[in-house]
Amino acid sequence: MKKALALLLAACMSLALVACGGGDESTSGSTPGGSASTSQGATSATGEAKTVGISMPTQSLERWNRDGSYLDEQFQAAGYETIVTYSDNDTNRQVNDIQNMIAEGVDLLVVSAIDGEALNTVMNEAGEAGIPIIAYDRLIMNDNVSYYVSFDNYTVGTLQGQYIVETLDLANQAGPFNIELTAGDPADNNAGYFFQGAMDQLQPYIDEGKLVVVSGQTDFDAVATAAWDTQTAMERAQNILASYYADGTQVDAWLCSNDSTALGVTQAIQSDYAGANKADILITGQDGDVANLKNIKDGLQSMTVYKAVANEAVVTLDLAKAILEGATIDESLIEASGWDFDCAYDVESYSTSEGRICPSFLLVPDVVTTDNMQEKLVDTGYYTVGDDGYLVAAA
Ligand code: GAL
């Protein structure tokens, strides 16, 4: 049932995405649709719909458009009013957007932070106003955050690292294979988990000499990409190719923490790579952005770690309902909600400050390659196949 709802919303959302195609970072307020059934707890004692403020980081990265739309649609369908903002990757703007939501008297905040360290003051203001906060996908370093909903971030990196280890058959091959590394935004709390998860798989082979990072750039700070920006990732990759691979030295694999950075690295390889194995370089990614799914189909990117953000929105809605109804929140929420996907209740992994664990609901990411794209993305209804044979973000 939940899945059917998610898929229906996905279909509506593809229209919404077309409508916001100009990419203007915006604020929208909405009232619940008349036909949806209103959930218990969606209204106040006086019968007014409760309002949920949904603060997303940016529309410039594809996934956040999907997240914002799913959250908006699902909260509305459950009878809530919503305010949705995208803050153009500008921290001051996100602070401002959230302050406006607090001033509007929202009953709950769902926030995906641009910078996990920079929302302290506004989180304190929300806390003082008694507004519960769900950190969505990216953790915020503030103890007013009530709960965290995300995918298992470390596992995302593990899957990327394992893919490289298995595809190069490092257990059996002597190598050496050449590899380069591109990580995410240091301001995003997730980025370090992705990189660490991958490096824990790769490091033993680097130590053994089977994998060689020719540029020598292995520290997170050296390989990070501010704002997960495609252009930034491309320019760094071009520099590496010019400095270390111009003589035809082959790069065999390029770890990229997500799809926007993979896109930049792929562009650099297409334009600036002199080696003979251009078509065989392993490139990882994350998110299942349509441009990257096209590259995977065309053999330019090897895999992406797919995160079903429709389900992340379902978890967020059910958690928000439980918070607003004053229900007990622990792992019993998982069974009570009847989700048809895996999600773990975790009270160990994420801290908002020293000594304060943030209770978390963590969904499970999945590897998508050209071989299982149809099964994982189309048969599940998350994407449809367009006229040109490439996938279209229907979900
Ligand atoms: C992360 C998120 C990833 C990816 C990245 C870039 O926080 O978990 O899925 O989208 O940001 O936006």
Side-chain angles (χ1 to χ4, degrees), residues 95 98-99 102 120-131 144:
V95 168
I98 298 170
Q99 278 171 337
I102 296 170
N120 247 319
T121 306
V122 71
M123 291 294 98
N124 290 341
E125 287 166 8
E128 276 155 29
I131 302 170
N144 289 294

Side-chain angles (χ1 to χ4, degrees), residues 144-201:
N144 289 294
V145 171
S146 327
Y147 297 93
Y148 179 41
V149 175
S150 195
F151 282 79
D152 183 332
N153 296 303
Y154 182 84
T155 297
V156 170
T158 306
L159 293 173
Q160 294 166 337
Q162 268 172 358
Y163 182 87
I164 292 172
V165 168
E166 283 164 19
T167 311
L168 293 177
D169 192 19
L170 292 176
N172 300 305
Q173 300 298 314
F177 296 100
N178 294 335
I179 186 169
E180 296 297 334
L181 315 165
T182 295
D185 185 353
D188 177 346
N189 188 61
N190 290 352
Y193 286 90
F194 300 148
F195 188 62
Q196 195 58 47
M199 287 308 276
D200 285 349
Q201 299 299 313

Side-chain angles (χ1 to χ4, degrees), residues 61 63-64 137-138 153 188 190 194 228 258 260 286-287 307:
L61 293 159
R63 75 155 285 186
W64 299 111
D137 204 87
R138 299 172 173 178
N153 296 303
D188 177 346
N190 290 352
F194 300 148
W228 298 92
N258 87 329
S260 60
Q286 167 187 196
D287 284 340
K307 308 194 327 197

Side-chain angles (χ1 to χ4, degrees), residues 176-229:
F177 296 100
N178 294 335
I179 186 169
E180 296 297 334
L181 315 165
T182 295
D185 185 353
D188 177 346
N189 188 61
N190 290 352
Y193 286 90
F194 300 148
F195 188 62
Q196 195 58 47
M199 287 308 276
D200 285 349
Q201 299 299 313
L202 301 174
Q203 193 65 50
Y205 297 101
I206 295 174
D207 294 344
E208 228 184 302
K210 284 188 176 183
L211 277 180
V212 179
V213 184
V214 177
S215 70
Q217 297 176 18
T218 53
D219 289 345
F220 176 75
D221 289 344
V223 306
T225 311
W228 298 92
D229 182 56

Side-chain angles (χ1 to χ4, degrees), residues 98-334:
I98 298 170
Q99 278 171 337
N100 287 338
M101 291 174 182
I102 296 170
E104 286 288 324
V106 295
D107 296 282
L108 182 136
L109 281 165
V110 176
V111 178
S112 187
I114 296 161
D115 183 331
E117 308 268 353
L119 296 180
N120 247 319
T121 306
V122 71
M123 291 294 98
N124 290 341
E125 287 166 8
E128 276 155 29
I131 302 170
I133 302 159
I134 298 175
Y136 180 84
D137 204 87
R138 299 172 173 178
L139 190 58
I140 305 163
M141 294 303 142
N142 183 284
D143 288 354
N144 289 294
V145 171
S146 327
Y147 297 93
Y148 179 41
V149 175
S150 195
F151 282 79
D152 183 332
N153 296 303
Y154 182 84
T155 297
V156 170
T158 306
L159 293 173
Q160 294 166 337
Q162 268 172 358
Y163 182 87
I164 292 172
V165 168
E166 283 164 19
T167 311
L168 293 177
D169 192 19
L170 292 176
N172 300 305
Q173 300 298 314
F177 296 100
N178 294 335
I179 186 169
E180 296 297 334
L181 315 165
T182 295
D185 185 353
D188 177 346
N189 188 61
N190 290 352
Y193 286 90
F194 300 148
F195 188 62
Q196 195 58 47
M199 287 308 276
D200 285 349
Q201 299 299 313
L202 301 174
Q203 193 65 50
Y205 297 101
I206 295 174
D207 294 344
E208 228 184 302
K210 284 188 176 183
L211 277 180
V212 179
V213 184
V214 177
S215 70
Q217 297 176 18
T218 53
D219 289 345
F220 176 75
D221 289 344
V223 306
T225 311
W228 298 92
D229 182 56
T230 298
Q231 180 80 16
T232 306
M234 184 186 78
E235 285 167 11
R236 177 170 167 268
Q238 285 172 331
N239 282 335
I240 288 175
L241 292 175
S243 307
Y244 303 97
Y245 295 90
D247 61 356
T249 300
Q250 286 198 184
V251 62
D252 299 295
W254 204 304
L255 173 79
C256 295
S257 285
N258 87 329
D259 279 352
S260 60
T261 55
L263 209 56
V265 167
T266 302
Q267 283 164 6
I269 286 170
Q270 290 312 305
S271 61
D272 289 64
Y273 182 60
N277 63 332
K278 208 180 211 175
D280 301 320
I281 303 169
L282 300 183
I283 300 176
T284 65
Q286 167 187 196
D287 284 340
D289 289 352
V290 283
N292 299 76
L293 295 175
K294 180 173 188 296
N295 279 352
I296 291 174
K297 193 164 192 295
D298 289 345
L300 303 177
Q301 182 176 323
S302 314
M303 61 88 87
T304 189
V305 176
Y306 183 66
K307 308 194 327 197
V309 295
N311 296 341
E312 197 174 5
V314 167
V315 172
T316 305
L317 171 63
D318 287 341
L319 174 60
K321 277 188 203 164
I323 295 170
L324 291 170
E325 286 166 11
T328 311
I329 295 164
D330 53 26
E331 70 254 281
S332 64
L333 181 73
I334 295 172

Side-chain angles (χ1 to χ4, degrees), residues 13 23 42 68 85 96 100 204 227 244-245 281 293 347 349 366 385:
M13 209 200 76
T85 58
N96 204 41
N100 287 338
Y244 303 97
Y245 295 90
I281 303 169
L293 295 175
V347 283
S349 303
D366 206 2
V385 183

